[in-house]
């Protein structure tokens, strides 16, 4: 991605250097544009050294800066795949919302057709001021994106909203906004289940499985990046991806209820969760004490989430399930496809512990037509993107 990083004058400008370094290391081309005030907080030399790219600005007095802003604002506006403003100041928000442009960065912001992401950072009262909020609403109305400032202790000593969002969260928003959108996925609402479920025996003991939930979380991320509106029902402890509406659940019952609430408004589901098939018959209110003699745990079946959603699906809704198989992969997956009324099953070979926690993984899609070419082996983030691209291609 060709990212234009605009840095106006705010105390959080130094964090833009971290962001520039992070995204450059990921292989993106990052070009920074400093305003006059921005250059008082961070130097062009720092940014040029971190990005390996020239730094642009309107001050010809500094040798590392390119001298002619007159044509550059159009060139750079056309060059960028995405423009991010970090930290977004009240001044630049106000100028852009009102069509004012008196330096390189503000002219680029009016001239570019690329998506624009603002990461505001300012004093709590300034951020809350109706004039600033009005400008934010106006820019939102132009289709420009925002990553909300965080709460915390601000440089001015006040506590509240106005702190620049975490650098990783801004990077995540940039990746999402700058990713290639897939027309078959874009604007679709997709439900994703991820993670293990936990079935409690008593307040301190639980039955669960070895799934971390990373495949489902990566799928949610890849679907978001492809342009889908993603709703994630998440078990386990992994953090939810930025920009993905998430509800956290513990048990299979809770996961079912959360899915049922969202399912009618969804176009389809990827069910990547490792749902416990059984739960203890009774959950003891107090910690169970050990006793003499044989101890028996009585288990009952949990609801099958996919099968339940499949039974209530409306025309046009699709369901993709996962299957962890250690033998007779195709036969078992095809039986699951038919039994649960699915459109596809992605089979994960878990023989000898493969698949769980593995760095690289392979998934074989199976549809009514039989097994298709395997996806992978890839690391899970790349595998998730391959699954989404494969599913988008299936929609034609
Ligand atoms: N699944 C579900 N609800 C359950 C169990 C599984 O929605 N109670 C979903 C999983 O998210 C996955 C698919 O069903 O997408 C297959 O899960 P798996 O446990 O492999 O299949 P089972 O039908 O439980 O069959 P078996 O345990 O016999 O392999």
């Amino acid at each position: 991605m060709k990212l234009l990083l605009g840095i106006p004058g705010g105390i959080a400008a130094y964090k833009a250097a971290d962001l520039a370094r992070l995204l450059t290391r990921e292989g993106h081309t990052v070009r920074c544009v400093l305003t006059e005030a921005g250059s008082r907080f961070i130097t062009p030399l720092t940014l040029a050294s971190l990005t390996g790219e020239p730094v642009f600005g309107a001050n010809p007095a500094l040798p590392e800066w390119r001298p002619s802003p007159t044509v550059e604002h159009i060139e750079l506006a056309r060059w960028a795949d995405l423009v991010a403003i970090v930290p977004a100041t009240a001044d630049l928000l106000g100028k852009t919302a009102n069509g004012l442009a008196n330096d390189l960065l503000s002219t680029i912001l009016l001239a570019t057709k690329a998506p624009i992401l603002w990461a505001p950072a300012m004093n709590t009262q300034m951020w809350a001021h109706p004039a600033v909020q009005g400008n934010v609403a106006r820019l939102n109305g132009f289709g420009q994106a925002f990553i909300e400032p965080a709460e915390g202790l601000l440089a001015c000593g006040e506590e509240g909203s106005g702190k620049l969002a975490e650098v990783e969260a801004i990077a995540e928003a940039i990746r999402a906004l700058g990713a290639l959108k897939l027309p078959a996925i874009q604007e679709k609402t997709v439900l994703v289940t991820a993670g293990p479920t936990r079935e409690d025996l008593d307040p301190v003991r639980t039955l669960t499985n070895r799934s971390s939930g990373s495949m489902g979380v990566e799928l949610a991320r890849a679907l978001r990046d492809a342009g889908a509106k993603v709703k994630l029902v998440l078990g386990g402890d992994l953090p939810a991806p930025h920009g993905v509406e998430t509800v956290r659940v513990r048990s299979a019952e809770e996961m079912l209820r959360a899915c049922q609430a969202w399912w009618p408004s969804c176009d389809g589901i990827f069910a990547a969760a490792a749902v416990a098939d059984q739960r203890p018959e009774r959950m003891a209110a107090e910690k169970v004490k050990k006793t003499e003699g044989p101890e028996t745990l009585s288990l009952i079946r949990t609801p099958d989430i996919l099968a339940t959603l499949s039974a209530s699906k409306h025309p046009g809704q699709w369901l993709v399930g996962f299957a962890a198989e250690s033998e007779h992969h195709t036969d078992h997956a095809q039986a699951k496809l038919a039994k649960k009324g699915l459109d596809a099953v992605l089979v994960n070979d878990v023989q000898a512990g493969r698949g769980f926690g593995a760095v690289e993984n392979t998934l074989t899609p199976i549809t009514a037509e039989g097994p298709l070419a395997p996806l992978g082996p890839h690391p899970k983030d790349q595998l998730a993107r391959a699954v989404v691209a494969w599913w988008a291609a299936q929609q034609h």
Side-chain angles (χ1 to χ4, degrees), residues 125-169:
Q125 304 308 325
M126 287 173 73
W127 175 241
H129 196 287
V132 173
Q133 288 303 313
N135 289 333
V136 168
R138 197 166 155 81
L139 292 168
N140 254 322
F142 300 154
Q144 301 184 14
F146 280 80
I147 175 153
E148 287 286 309
E151 302 260 334
L153 183 63
L154 306 179
C156 57
E158 276 182 33
E159 254 197 91
S161 178
K163 205 174 154 67
L164 186 73
E166 291 294 326
V167 167
E168 182 48 49

Side-chain angles (χ1 to χ4, degrees), residues 193 271-273 275-277 302-306 321-325 336 340:
T193 67
V275 187
D277 286 322
T302 54
D304 191 309
I305 297 166
L306 255 185
F322 282 71
E325 307 289 357
K336 241 165 245 180
K340 301 195 190 195

Side-chain angles (χ1 to χ4, degrees), residues 7 64 72 162 168 181 205 218 220 237 279 330 339 363 380:
I7 310 174
E64 7 348 25
E72 267 167 358
E168 182 48 49
K181 304 292 175 238
R205 300 182 181 96
E218 290 302 341
D237 300 319
R279 68 170 172 85
T330 307
K339 195 172 103 197
L363 288 169
K380 284 187 182 158

